[in-house]
């Protein structure tokens, strides 16, 4: 929602505005300094097996519109001990980006956590980062992941507007919280503490999250709520102390807008001098000043404050001294989500492995579509967070909400959603801080695209105020010549650059040709200025646990494991070894042995060593962050964790491995800054006697070039890694002989395209093959027009 105007109203009479007051200054502070982003990440499925790719599409919002603040999103994968397992740097265009993770066989079976955030979001509380549990299964793990049917729960009661005043009829929302699955049903009643056997009122849960009751309290009385689930478990909640003065705010939907009523008790001047302020997404959209000396006032807030669109309105009442005394959240237009739906031309066949497709009728307002087709797997305890619920609910509220998607479905219960908002509080700012003039500490500022800082040295010495020539080249781009000058400290900067392929940078001093030889000892070590920010908080609790068990009892996981076996069958069937290939491999082995003999000493000899040759082989390593990142999953028994600085820490068979650079002890931070292009060989040694478990890294020497590179002129060169591109989603070749060997096709993700568009003037078309049991498919389609109106489709076909 874009702010169009502020609706000012004077309730019961007209009065002049004073010069800028405390509230005005607080609102100015809010609107200038509290602009924030939120993220939603759509995954192609809910459960994964090692060897799978996690495909994801990210959406970054500023309020309810796609954000233009950030152009870079960080997506990270943590294990349950908060070790950073892997990370991706995703380019954002109009607030959207996509990527993938490849789950290596080295990952143990466990629940992992996917975190997503922008640099700008790091200036605000971490609790607003996107965080999702991702169960990952590994058939070779000794312990198996199970979902415990934990129904332990707690409850609390919240009076409307946060006040409980004598003789004022007050609405209460009762909220149930559970780390696992909430009770199937629950109910409750209210008692006077002095008469615990007399029920003053009763109520039932409107859903698994909330229920509602109303009551009129008496001063001096204490009240309790008893909540009981369908299995007989009970909890007792003490209601707030009844006040003999104050105000209560009541809101209801009205055909003309939002009707509000303020009721006060024991106010010497009545409501005179009180103010009402309404904000949406940290912008003021409504203000009313009250003149009446009565204890009651009412009016209607027009829906125009939200441009007639769906939004959460945060209403705050200020007393005559401009202190906040009551707050209430309200959902505007709950039945008017203002969504477009695509016009689809289906051609669906429910036969096993049948070809299917559907067209999206072209629409001039929508150009690119995110499309996901997956097998529909109904669940008895559906707990889903969709793009809709993230945009209007979970992106701004951090408490545990079971199945938040239900509040945005066609069968949604508006009364339950309103009760949920009564139990919530807007935490993106607090009025006390705003009124005191406090602003966030802006440690992190968003940068456009990527930026790098390069340290330029010659024989180890910094080179200040020197002219350097750079040649930038990716595989699919022309060379770009960039002249730069080092600063007083010997640094150069590359700002606002975009690349999603390994960027090769050749560099040399701008000198006379006769002095070119001096370039041999010039080195530039680049450091990214757009970097990950360590997660400092605690990971969310989970109701998954690891047990010493044999087989999984979850049918969905059994299917996923079967699919992994299928993929291995296909791989084996497609592997054909030719005599010519064997000869090539043999030659490479000989070259590897020669390289090992040339570089390593007897101290680093071992019968149990794995050697990687980067002079003649392994060219794909050039695109990695660093050599340790590249090694992940390539050597049995070698695992990596990531420390808070983003360095990969290796372990061999459970023990931390020693690191050596040219047979000199070193640490992971030194290896992280070493360009992969400078590495000749890596040797992974297990129980290697003199060096024990070790990873030895050897740099290139002299004219150490691959056979095909020896005729080329030597230049100083390094490789930078930019934005991460997604692994392409590939449809299986159902007609192949290899696929015919698959007895049971259990693929869950049938089609994935994060950017489907017209091709060759034809309508956007999704094409896929059924698995053997996909008679019902969940189809998700998402798009936005230039004004950020959302097209959304989520149906089972």
């Amino acid at each position: 929602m874009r702010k169009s105007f502020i609706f000012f109203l004077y309730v019961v009479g007209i009065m002049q505005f004073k010069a800028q007051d405390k509230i005005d200054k607080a609102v100015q502070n809010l609107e200038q300094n509290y602009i924030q982003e939120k993220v939603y990440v759509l995954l192609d499925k809910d459960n994964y097996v090692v060897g799978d790719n996690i495909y994801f599409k990210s959406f970054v919002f500023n309020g309810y519109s796609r954000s233009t603040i950030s152009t870079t999103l960080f997506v990270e994968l943590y294990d349950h001990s908060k070790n950073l397992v892997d990370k991706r740097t995703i380019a954002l265009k109009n607030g959207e980006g996509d990527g993938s993770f490849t789950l290596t066989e080295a990952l143990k079976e466990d629940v992992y956590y996917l975190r997503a955030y922008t640099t700008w979001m790091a200036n605000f509380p971490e609790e607003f980062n996107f965080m999702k549990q991702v169960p990952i299964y590994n058939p070779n793990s000794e312990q198996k992941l199970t979902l415990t049917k934990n129904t332990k729960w707690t409850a609390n009661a919240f009076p409307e507007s946060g006040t409980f005043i004598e003789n004022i009829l007050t609405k209460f929302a009762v909220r149930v919280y559970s780390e696992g699955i909430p009770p199937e049903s629950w109910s409750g009643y209210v008692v006077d503490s002095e008469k615990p056997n007399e029920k003053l009122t009763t109520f039932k849960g409107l859903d698994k999250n909330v229920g509602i009751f109303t009551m009129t309290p008496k001063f001096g009385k204490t009240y309790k709520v008893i909540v009981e689930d369908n299995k007989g478990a009970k909890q007792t909640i003490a209601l707030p102390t009844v006040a003999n003065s104050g105000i209560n705010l009541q809101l209801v939907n009205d055909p003309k807008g939002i009707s509000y009523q303020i009721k006060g008790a024991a106010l010497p001047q009545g409501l005179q001098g009180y103010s009402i302020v309404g904000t949406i997404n940290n912008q003021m959209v409504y203000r009313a000043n009250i003149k009446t000396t009565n204890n009651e006032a009412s009016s209607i807030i027009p829906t125009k404050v939200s441009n007639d669109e769906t939004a959460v309105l945060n209403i705050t009442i200020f007393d005559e001294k401009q202190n906040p005394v009551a707050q209430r959240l309200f959902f505007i237009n709950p039945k008017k989500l203002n969504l477009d739906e695509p016009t689809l031309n289906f051609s669906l066949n429910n036969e096993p492995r049948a070809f299917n497709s559907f067209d999206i009728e072209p629409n001039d307002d929508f150009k690119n579509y995110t499309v996901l087709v997956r097998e529909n797997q109904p669940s008895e305890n559906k707990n889903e967070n969709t793009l809709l619920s993230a945009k209007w609910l979970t992106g701004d509220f951090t408490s545990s909400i079971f199945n938040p998607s239900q509040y945005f479905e066609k069968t949604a219960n508006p009364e339950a959603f309103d009760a949920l908002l009564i139990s919530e509080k807007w935490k993106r700012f607090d009025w006390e801080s705003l009124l005191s003039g406090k602003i966030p500490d802006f440690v992190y500022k968003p940068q456009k695209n990527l930026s790098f800082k390069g340290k330029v040295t010659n024989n180890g010495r910094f080179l200040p105020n020197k002219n350097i020539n750079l040649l930038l080249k990716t595989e699919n781009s022309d060379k770009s010549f960039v002249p730069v000058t080092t600063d007083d400290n010997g640094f150069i900067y590359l700002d606002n650059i975009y690349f999603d392929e390994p960027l090769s940078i050749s560099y040399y001093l701008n000198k006379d040709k006769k002095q070119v030889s001096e370039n041999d000892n010039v080195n530039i070590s680049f450091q990214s200025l757009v970097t990950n920010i360590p997660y400092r908080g605690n990971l969310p609790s989970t109701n998954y646990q690891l047990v010493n068990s044999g087989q999984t009892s979850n049918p969905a996981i059994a299917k996923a494991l079967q699919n992994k076996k299928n993929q291995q069958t296909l791989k084996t069937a497609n592997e054909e070894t030719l005599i010519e290939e064997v000869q090539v491999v043999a030659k490479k082995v000989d070259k590897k042995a020669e390289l090992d003999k040339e570089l390593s000493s007897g101290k680093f000899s071992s019968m149990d060593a794995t050697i990687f040759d980067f002079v003649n082989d392994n060219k794909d390593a050039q695109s990695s962050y660093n050599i340790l990142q590249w090694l992940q999953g390539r050597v049995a028994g070698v695992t990596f964790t990531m420390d808070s600085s983003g360095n990969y820490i290796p372990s061999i068979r459970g023990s931390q491995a020693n690191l050596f650079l040219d047979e000199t002890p070193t640490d992971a931070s030194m290896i992280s800054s070493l360009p992969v292009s400078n590495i000749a060989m890596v040797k992974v040694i297990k129980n290697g006697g003199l060096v024990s478990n070790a990873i030895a890294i050897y740099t290139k020497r002299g004219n150490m070039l691959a056979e095909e590179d020896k005729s080329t002129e030597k230049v100083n060169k390094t490789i930078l890694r930019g934005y991460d591109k997604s692994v392409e989603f590939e449809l299986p070749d159902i007609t192949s002989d290899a696929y015919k060997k698959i007895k049971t096709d259990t693929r869950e993700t049938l089609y994935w395209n994060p950017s489907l568009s017209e091709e060759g003037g034809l309508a956007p078309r999704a094409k896929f093959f059924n698995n053997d049991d996909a008679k019902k498919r969940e189809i998700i389609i998402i798009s936005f027009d230039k004004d950020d109106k959302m097209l959304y489709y989520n149906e089972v076909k």
Side-chain angles (χ1 to χ4, degrees), residues 661-723:
L661 181 60
D662 291 329
E663 302 194 350
T664 300
T666 188
D667 57 28
S669 62
M670 177 67 72
I671 302 302
S672 296
S673 62
L674 179 67
V676 176
S677 58
N678 291 351
I679 296 174
M681 185 181 76
V682 172
K683 195 170 187 178
V684 180
I685 303 170
K686 301 174 183 176
N687 297 321
L690 296 177
V691 294
S692 189
N693 292 325
I695 297 179
I697 297 166
Y698 298 85
T699 57
K700 292 178 180 176
R701 302 174 185 176
N703 195 33
M704 187 177 283
L705 299 171
E707 199 68 43
E708 62 271 22
D709 295 332
K710 288 185 178 179
S711 59
T712 63
E713 182 181 354
K714 182 183 181 300
V715 293
N716 296 317
K717 188 176 180 181
T718 190
I719 304 290
L720 294 183
R721 177 170 176 166
Y723 287 117

Side-chain angles (χ1 to χ4, degrees), residues 236-485:
T236 300
I237 308 163
L239 293 187
T241 302
V242 180
N244 61 357
S245 65
I247 67 157
N248 181 262
L249 170 66
Q250 300 173 6
L251 299 179
V252 294
N253 266 310
D254 184 275
K256 297 180 181 179
I258 303 163
S259 174
Y260 67 83
Q261 187 172 30
I262 304 172
K263 294 183 177 181
L267 304 177
Q269 302 296 323
L271 292 171
Q272 187 176 31
Y274 277 62
S275 299
I276 309 168
V277 173
T279 61
I280 294 177
N281 290 323
N282 298 0
Q283 286 191 325
M284 186 171 77
V285 296
Y286 177 87
R287 181 166 178 182
N289 287 357
I290 304 175
K291 185 180 178 182
T292 182
T293 56
N294 294 329
N295 279 334
E296 292 190 18
S298 62
S299 189
I300 290 179
I301 302 172
T303 56
K304 290 181 180 179
V305 296
S306 68
N307 293 331
D308 289 321
E309 295 181 1
T310 304
V312 174
L313 177 66
N314 182 13
I315 292 288
T316 305
I317 308 295
F318 294 84
D319 64 17
E320 73 279 5
K321 296 180 181 178
Q322 299 196 332
N323 296 314
V325 292
Q327 282 187 281
R328 170 78 150 89
L329 297 170
F330 197 81
F331 199 57
I332 304 174
N333 294 323
K335 289 292 188 179
K336 185 183 176 183
L337 295 181
N338 195 25
L339 301 172
D340 267 6
E341 284 196 6
T343 301
L344 302 174
N345 297 314
F346 284 107
S347 175
L348 298 181
N349 183 334
N350 287 334
E351 292 298 317
R353 307 192 191 189
F355 174 79
N356 273 316
S357 70
F358 60 85
D359 290 348
I360 304 174
E361 187 171 303
N363 186 320
D364 291 339
D365 293 327
F366 301 96
K367 301 299 183 183
N368 294 287
Y369 302 86
T370 299
V371 182
L372 169 62
V373 182
R374 59 189 174 191
E375 181 182 5
N376 181 50
Q377 296 183 349
S379 171
E380 294 181 3
N381 293 288
K382 177 184 175 184
N383 186 8
E384 187 177 12
N385 185 25
T386 65
L387 178 59
L388 303 186
S389 50
K391 179 181 177 181
W392 282 296
L393 185 59
T394 60
D396 293 311
F397 300 100
T398 58
S399 60
S400 174
I401 302 172
F402 186 79
N403 192 28
S405 67
Q406 66 183 302
Y407 299 108
F408 302 91
E409 295 173 350
K410 293 176 181 178
T411 57
N413 182 346
E415 185 182 19
F417 193 10
D418 190 51
L420 189 77
L421 290 183
I422 289 175
S423 70
E424 288 285 357
K425 184 177 180 181
W426 191 260
K427 294 182 180 179
R428 288 198 174 273
F429 69 85
D430 68 87
W431 283 108
E432 287 76 9
S433 296
L434 291 174
L435 291 164
S436 66
K438 183 179 179 181
I439 64 174
D441 294 326
F442 295 114
V443 178
Y444 305 99
K445 296 182 179 180
Q447 298 189 37
K448 191 167 181 62
N449 297 317
L450 301 176
S451 296
F452 296 86
K453 176 182 180 180
K455 179 176 68 175
V456 184
T457 59
N458 190 343
N459 290 319
R461 294 180 299 174
F462 285 96
L463 293 179
N465 305 310
K466 293 289 186 180
N467 294 325
I468 309 289
N469 292 327
L470 306 179
L471 281 177
L472 280 58
K473 175 78 171 63
T474 66
E475 182 178 355
N476 295 307
S477 71
D478 296 329
K479 287 184 178 180
S480 297
F481 176 76
V482 180
V484 294
T485 302

Side-chain angles (χ1 to χ4, degrees), residues 556-572:
I557 304 310
K559 283 187 173 184
L561 293 172
Q562 179 60 49
N563 187 56
K564 177 177 172 57
K565 292 180 181 178
N566 292 346
Q567 298 308 311
Q568 185 59 46
T569 299
L570 289 172
K571 182 180 178 181
T572 301

Side-chain angles (χ1 to χ4, degrees), residues 164-200:
F164 196 31
I165 315 296
E166 68 167 330
N167 296 325
I168 295 180
L169 181 67
T170 303
K171 181 190 291 185
F172 271 84
V174 179
R175 180 83 173 268
V176 169
Y177 303 91
S178 175
E179 292 180 358
I181 300 170
E184 187 63 33
S185 62
W186 52 274
S187 60
Y189 56 91
V190 182
V191 297
D192 180 337
S193 297
E194 297 177 353
K195 300 176 181 179
N197 295 321
E198 296 182 14
K199 298 179 181 179
L200 301 180

Side-chain angles (χ1 to χ4, degrees), residues 73-87:
L73 178 74
F74 296 107
V75 184
E76 301 168 345
L77 196 63
Y78 291 85
D79 67 15
H80 77 279
S81 299
K82 212 171 74 170
N83 297 310
L84 185 55
V85 174
D86 208 349
K87 59 184 180 180

Side-chain angles (χ1 to χ4, degrees), residues 610-633:
T610 303
I611 298 172
F612 295 94
D613 175 358
F614 296 95
V615 174
N616 305 292
D617 202 356
N618 298 304
K619 301 299 184 183
D620 64 312
Q622 302 292 326
S623 62
S624 298
Y625 284 111
N626 61 58
I627 196 62
L628 298 180
Q629 187 268 347
W630 182 86
L631 283 173
Q632 279 200 105

Side-chain angles (χ1 to χ4, degrees), residues 53-107:
N53 291 319
I54 297 179
Y55 293 98
F56 63 85
K57 178 65 179 283
S58 54
F59 302 88
V60 182
F61 294 95
N62 171 9
Y64 300 130
S65 300
R66 289 174 301 168
S67 179
T68 58
I69 298 172
S70 300
T71 57
T72 302
L73 178 74
F74 296 107
V75 184
E76 301 168 345
L77 196 63
Y78 291 85
D79 67 15
H80 77 279
S81 299
K82 212 171 74 170
N83 297 310
L84 185 55
V85 174
D86 208 349
K87 59 184 180 180
R88 294 291 181 268
T89 304
I90 303 299
L92 295 173
K93 183 178 180 182
N94 296 324
E96 297 183 42
D98 66 276
S100 63
F101 287 100
T102 298
L103 303 178
T104 69
E105 300 286 341
L107 291 176

